[in-house]
Structure formats: C-alpha cells, structure tokens
Amino acid sequence: MLLYFVKRIFLGILIISVAVTLMFCMIHLVPGDPARIMLGPRGTTEMIADITMRMGLDQPLVIQLMKFFGNILQGDLGMDVISSRPVTAIVFGQLPYTLWLIFSAIFGAMLIGIPLGCYSALHRNTLADRVTGVISVACITAPSFVVALYSLLIFAVTLKWFPAIGAGDKGDLFDQATHLVLPAFAIGISWVGYLSRLVRASMLEVLGENHIRTARAYGLTESTVVYRYALKIAILPTVTVIGVGMGFLISAAVFTEIVFARPGLGKLIIESITSRNYPVVMGSVLVSTVLFVISTTISDLVNAWLDPRIRANL
Amino acid sequence: MKALIKRISSDPLGLLGLCLVTLMVVSALGASIFAPYDPIQLNIMDRLQGPSANHLLGTDQLGRDLFSRVLFGGQVALKVAFLTIGSALIIGVVLGMIAGYGPTWLDNSIMLLFDTIRSVPTIMLALAAVAMVGPSITTVIFVIAVSSIPNYGRVVRTQTLTIKSKDFVKAEMLMGASLLRILSIHVLPNILGPLLILASMDIPTVIALEAGLSFLGMGVKPPTPSWGSILNDGFALIRNTPWPIIAGSIPLVLATLGFTFLGESLRDLLDPKLRKLL
C-alpha cells in the first residue's frame, strides 16, 4: 500500500517535470527570439537586450532549463511584463475564483445527478428512465460555452433574474452567490448528465450483487437496501471520475469566465494572450496542469485505498 | 455496409444520429450550392436583421447572411474534425505499436509522454500554443491532434500487447515473418474496429473544441465563417439581438448530438460478435 502511494506520487512528480520541460522547449523552440516575442511590437533593441540578460537567455539551454526548474521549485514563475508583479502572486490571486466556480458546479451536479441516476436505475427501462437517458446524453454533449451563452441570454439579459457579469462584491456573500449561479450551472449541467449515467450503471451492477440479495432476504425495507447498502457503494466511481474530470472542469471554467466576465484563471490567461503577457500565460498553464495532476493523483490514491486490486497494476 | 445502416436504423437514436450527421455533411459539402449568399459578403444596409424569407437565420452586425455562414462554418468544422482525428489516429497507431512491441524503456517513455499530454487541460495546451505561434486553423488542428494522440496510442498499445502474446503470432514469428508483416497483417486489422469507434466518438469533442477556440478568438481567423466565430459575434451583440447566438449554436448542438448518437449506436453494434456485418 505504502509502496503504491510512493510510486503513484513519484509518477505525478515525473509527469509535472516532463510537462515543465516540454513547456520550456515550447518557449525556446518556437521560431523567433523569446525576448522579442515576449516584448512584442513594443520592444526596442535595448529592451530586448535587457530582457535577454535578465532572463539569462544568453546562457546555454541546459543551464537555462536548470534555472527554470529551480525557479519553479522556489515558487517563482517570473515577472508580469506589464505590471512587473510576480506571476505567482497574480495567478494565485485569480485561482480561488476558478476553484470556487469548479467546486460549486461539481457539488450542484452531484446533488442533482446522483439522485437522478439512482431513480433511473430503480425504474430501469421505464419511460422515465429512457427520457432521463436521452436528456443526460444531450446534457453531456452540449458544449459548456453554448450553455453559458444561453443562460446569459435567457436568465441574465432577457429575464434579468441573475447578474450578468463579474463575481459580486467582496464581503457580500449573497451577492457572490447570485453571481455564481449561472456560471456554475453552465459548467455543471454536463456533469449532471454524466454523473446520472455513471451512477445508474454502477447502481445496476451493485443491485445485482449478493450482499444486496442477502439484505433483501433479511426483510429490510427497499429504501434501507437502496440507500444504506447499494448507493454507498454505487457512488464510489464518481470520486474517480471527478478527479480525472478536473481537466474538463478547468477547460469549461475558461469559457464560462469569459462569457460571464468573471475573474479567474481563464479570464486571466485570455487577457494575457491578448496583451502578449507570456510569463502570465505560461504560469497559468503550469498551475492548471499541476492542479490537474494533483487531482488525478488523489483520485487514483483514493481509488487504490478503496480497491486493493488496482494497487497490483502499477 | 448496407446491413450496418439497416442495423443502425433499427435503433431510433442511432437513426436520428445518422440523419443529423448526413444533414450536416451534405449541407457542409454542398454549401456553395445551397448558400443563398456569399458568407463573407458585407451588406451594411441589412445588418442585424431577424429571420425572414430573405435571410433564413437573419444577418450579423456586418449584414452577412447567417444561414450562408452557418453552412460554410460546417465545412470548417468537418475539415478540422477529419484532419485532426486522421492525423492523431495515424500517429497514435504508430506510437502505440512501437510502445507495445518495442523495448521496455521505450514503452515507458512513450507512456510517460502520453500521461503528460493527458495531464494538460486541452484548452490550456491550445491557449499556450496560440500564445506562442498565433491563432490559426493550423494551430487548432495541431493542438487538438496532439492532445488526442494518447487516447488512440493507449488503446493500440494494449491491443498490440495482447495480440503479440497470441500463439498464432508467435508461430508466424518462428516461421520468419518480419515485424512489419506481423504488425500490418495481424495487429492492425485487429485494432482497427475499436479505433474507428473511438474516433467516431471523438468527432463531437473535436467539433466543440474548434468552435470553442474560435469563440474565444483563438481559432479560425475572420472573416472565415466558423460556428464558434458566429457565436463570438453573437456574444458581443447579446444585448441587441439573440439571432447570431441561435444561428451559431443550432448547427453546433445538432452536429455534436448527431455524432454522439451515431457513435454510441456504432459502438453498440460493432461489438466483436457483430463485426461480421461490416
């Protein structure tokens, strides 16, 4: 068990190191001088020379790569070219907004999706089950930015039920919550479909197992059997799926933040691309990748802890 | 093939998928015949109109006919989907076979590379690439292809490992068959079925990604019509008119739904036991 934990965490660190190396290669292999690209059309020859020296771009690539790693380990992701603030501070200033959005979306999706899947499994092959199935697939395939656009159009612009832009006043929790509803809905809706299908499938599997038959044979009521015994096991796969789905959640958050003009990682990265602020772009990509690797690692570890068969496979 | 279409038609969702996909492909390929207007022809006098007999889906802020733009946008979506999935499939097959047949260190390195690619959120990878080389349809195709290679590569590797250890393959190797022969005659035909199902189920994701990137202004460059760029125009005008958003989203949603239903139906059908139908 411990060996598996160590191996899995080592793999996570290895993946992050390879990702950092690839990112370094991407910056340096792209045609053109990184300093020139970074400064864009604003750059004068003196500025380019200054940046080249300050960033150590005149040194051999291997040494630059070592420095790149060293800086990242110290939490130094470089300087914002425009405001000269550290990238780490900027990225971590925006990250909580994205995390809040992602967590409320997935929490809402669990609240609706799991009971829906349960209902479908218990009323298998009825009309309600089939309708839920088709709606679930439709929810899964609807691109999050289309859902975001429609919810903005219907609930914010036309009906004016919810605010259209921003994240709400700092300190005013109610205002922040109302600003969260539509973006979280746009991200969460496809997860409602996804989780309901997943829970339905695993519930059907669990309901056919021996311990459920035994529980029924003991004369326990149907609701006790379903909620105390079956559902407890059937919702386990959702843990893994949410961990692995972190990448999709981050991607969906990028779109939603743009549509609702919400602060966050996605809005930061798009604005940085437009203003050619490369250190911020790379910093955001790196932080989101690390976030994704951490969440898949945790979900693998939780899974291994729950299911001993997996440990044997690494 | 006929039998396959007949089987799909017996599944209502599969049939719906097949119809939607056919509609999309025909309307995109025949865009120059069906489109009533030039998709990039400006007509400022008729800007921001609602749907009418002249403009079925209305016009955008520059007076361009949205229906024509939607039809030509389908061409972009199809082009991106097929080029992306085609190249990812070829590279994935080659890398997966190398990983499955090659020495352990090579296998481990390829798998590590796959794991790394999979751990960068696709949109983030795309945005990083756009930041470095600028937005274009080529960047979109390249990034989505790179991010889908591991999906195919992993399947190919697992299947190659399974087939490699089969007795008939071992016997053929003893008879002196070359590696190339074994891979192309025995391994490839055996993995083609699952790969094609996987590819068909990837199409909606790719179409949505292209539209998403173009929506962010990081994909297809104007004035080329793409469903995503129509939605981007609509987003800017959301307080004035809902029509560009409706026009851009309908084909996008129908196409992703169609390909998903068709893909799921194909997957259910092409279960190995039913493969003789092909």
Side-chain angles (χ1 to χ4, degrees):
Chain A
M1 187 71 187
L2 189 68
L3 184 69
Y4 175 83
F5 268 53
V6 173
K7 270 182 170 174
R8 187 61 190 81
I9 291 171
F10 176 72
L11 180 67
I13 295 172
L14 201 63
I15 289 176
I16 293 178
S17 332
V18 176
V20 169
T21 313
L22 288 181
M23 208 179 273
F24 177 83
C25 295
M26 213 163 137
I27 300 174
H28 289 269
L29 293 182
V30 158
D33 179 9
R36 195 180 298 274
I37 294 179
M38 233 170 237
L39 287 168
R42 291 186 300 265
T44 59
T45 322
E46 292 83 43
M47 281 164 83
I48 290 171
D50 180 49
I51 287 259
T52 308
M53 206 184 69
R54 264 202 297 165
M55 294 184 59
L57 292 172
D58 43 1
Q59 285 166 335
L61 275 183
V62 184
I63 300 205
Q64 285 189 46
L65 180 64
M66 294 294 181
K67 277 198 173 159
F68 195 62
F69 265 104
N71 287 343
I72 288 173
L73 281 179
Q74 290 169 24
D76 176 8
L77 297 174
M79 287 292 178
D80 180 325
V81 219
I82 294 165
S83 71
S84 293
R85 285 170 58 209
V87 171
T88 322
I90 297 178
V91 172
F92 281 95
Q94 297 295 313
L95 190 62
Y97 290 104
T98 306
L99 288 181
W100 260 115
L101 177 60
I102 288 176
F103 286 132
S104 34
I106 202 71
F107 184 70
M110 283 168 81
L111 229 49
I112 305 170
I114 294 175
L116 210 61
C118 231
Y119 179 86
S120 272
L122 294 176
H123 300 81
R124 190 182 175 187
N125 290 340
T126 57
L127 183 68
D129 175 29
R130 277 163 207 264
V131 172
T132 323
V134 175
I135 294 177
S136 300
V137 177
C139 287
I140 296 170
T141 45
S144 57
F145 69 100
V146 174
V147 182
L149 281 174
Y150 271 92
S151 38
L152 177 68
L153 182 64
I154 297 170
F155 298 111
V157 174
T158 313
L159 296 174
K160 298 196 180 355
W161 287 357
F162 293 100
I165 51 173
D169 284 335
K170 270 192 181 145
D172 184 351
L173 272 181
F174 179 74
D175 193 35
Q176 287 181 351
T178 49
H179 278 86
L180 201 56
V181 175
L182 290 183
F185 169 77
I187 299 179
I189 188 86
S190 66
W191 283 84
V192 171
Y194 199 43
L195 290 179
S196 84
R197 298 247 307 189
L198 188 76
V199 169
R200 178 185 183 273
S202 74
M203 191 76 175
L204 283 176
E205 207 184 306
V206 173
L207 281 175
E209 274 173 21
N210 287 339
H211 71 281
I212 296 297
R213 201 176 51 192
T214 314
R216 285 210 173 106
Y218 269 98
L220 298 178
T221 57
E222 186 64 18
S223 65
T224 316
V225 173
V226 170
Y227 296 107
R228 288 244 345 244
Y229 294 90
L231 186 60
K232 230 174 169 178
I233 300 173
I235 56 173
L236 289 184
T238 54
V239 179
T240 335
V241 165
I242 291 171
V244 178
M246 195 62 174
F248 298 99
L249 285 166
I250 295 173
S251 297
V254 172
F255 290 117
T256 319
E257 283 166 8
I258 294 300
V259 171
F260 292 99
R262 247 185 91 82
L265 217 49
K267 193 155 174 289
L268 177 70
I269 194 172
I270 299 288
E271 280 169 358
S272 311
I273 291 177
T274 324
S275 59
R276 298 175 147 265
N277 202 341
Y278 295 97
V280 180
V281 175
M282 288 304 161
S284 319
V285 173
L286 185 67
V287 168
S288 67
T289 305
V290 172
L291 197 66
F292 190 15
V293 173
I294 291 176
S295 79
T296 43
T297 308
I298 291 176
S299 85
D300 271 4
L301 293 180
V302 169
N303 223 6
W305 179 49
L306 295 170
D307 188 347
R309 281 170 300 183
I310 299 168
R311 276 175 246 154
N313 275 331
L314 194 93
Chain B
M1 194 65 198
K2 250 184 197 167
L4 183 69
I5 291 177
K6 209 175 155 190
R7 287 295 295 249
I8 291 177
S9 314
S10 65
D11 167 19
L13 283 183
L15 182 65
L16 178 65
L18 187 66
C19 292
L20 287 175
V21 169
T22 316
L23 178 73
M24 186 216 160
V25 174
V26 170
S27 66
L29 294 181
S32 42
I33 306 166
F34 301 129
Y37 297 90
D38 181 342
I40 53 173
Q41 173 72 50
L42 307 187
N43 185 1
I44 301 291
M45 296 299 281
D46 288 343
R47 63 197 289 264
L48 294 181
Q49 288 186 358
S52 63
N54 281 335
H55 301 282
L56 286 176
L57 288 171
T59 57
D60 67 5
Q61 77 281 17
L62 299 172
R64 297 174 294 197
D65 178 50
L66 281 170
F67 181 64
S68 310
R69 286 182 69 73
V70 161
L71 292 181
F72 279 95
Q75 288 186 345
V76 173
L78 275 188
K79 183 176 157 193
V80 172
F82 284 100
L83 286 178
T84 311
I85 292 178
S87 45
L89 207 56
I90 294 170
I91 301 172
V93 165
V94 173
L95 285 181
M97 281 182 169
I98 294 175
Y101 238 102
T104 320
W105 65 268
L106 195 59
D107 181 19
N108 286 339
S109 324
I110 293 178
M111 291 317 279
L112 181 63
L113 189 67
F114 283 176
D115 280 341
T116 308
I117 294 175
R118 278 154 55 110
S119 53
V120 185
T122 313
I123 286 293
M124 290 295 177
L125 186 66
L127 292 178
V130 168
M132 299 319 294
V133 295
S136 74
I137 194 165
T138 325
T139 319
V140 172
I141 292 173
F142 175 77
V143 170
I144 309 181
V146 167
S147 65
S148 354
I149 289 172
N151 298 346
Y152 304 115
R154 281 180 154 262
V155 174
V156 173
R157 172 183 172 269
T158 319
Q159 299 274 354
T160 310
L161 283 174
T162 319
I163 295 167
K164 186 170 98 171
S165 59
K166 291 259 164 74
D167 284 341
F168 73 93
V169 175
K170 283 185 186 155
E172 182 134 354
M173 274 172 98
L174 286 176
M175 280 155 64
S178 69
L179 189 63
L180 197 67
R181 183 186 154 84
I182 289 175
L183 287 177
S184 59
I185 305 244
H186 296 300
V187 179
L188 196 58
N190 272 303
I191 55 179
L192 218 52
L195 272 185
L196 288 180
I197 298 172
L198 206 61
S200 74
M201 302 195 63
D202 253 0
I203 297 176
T205 322
V206 173
I207 290 180
L209 262 174
E210 181 272 314
L213 285 170
S214 301
F215 169 70
L216 292 176
M218 305 286 160
V220 177
K221 270 190 246 167
T224 314
S226 145
W227 296 338
S229 53
I230 297 173
L231 284 170
N232 189 7
D233 293 343
F235 176 50
L237 300 163
I238 196 161
R239 288 175 198 280
N240 305 324
T241 168
W243 291 109
I245 290 184
I246 294 172
S249 59
I250 289 175
L252 179 58
V253 170
L254 289 184
T256 46
L257 264 185
F259 277 109
T260 306
F261 286 148
L262 185 65
E264 294 206 335
S265 178
L266 271 180
R267 181 196 56 196
D268 295 344
L269 278 175
L270 296 182
D271 202 61
K273 288 171 202 152
L274 300 166
R275 202 183 289 161
K276 59 177 182 282
L277 273 168
L278 259 179

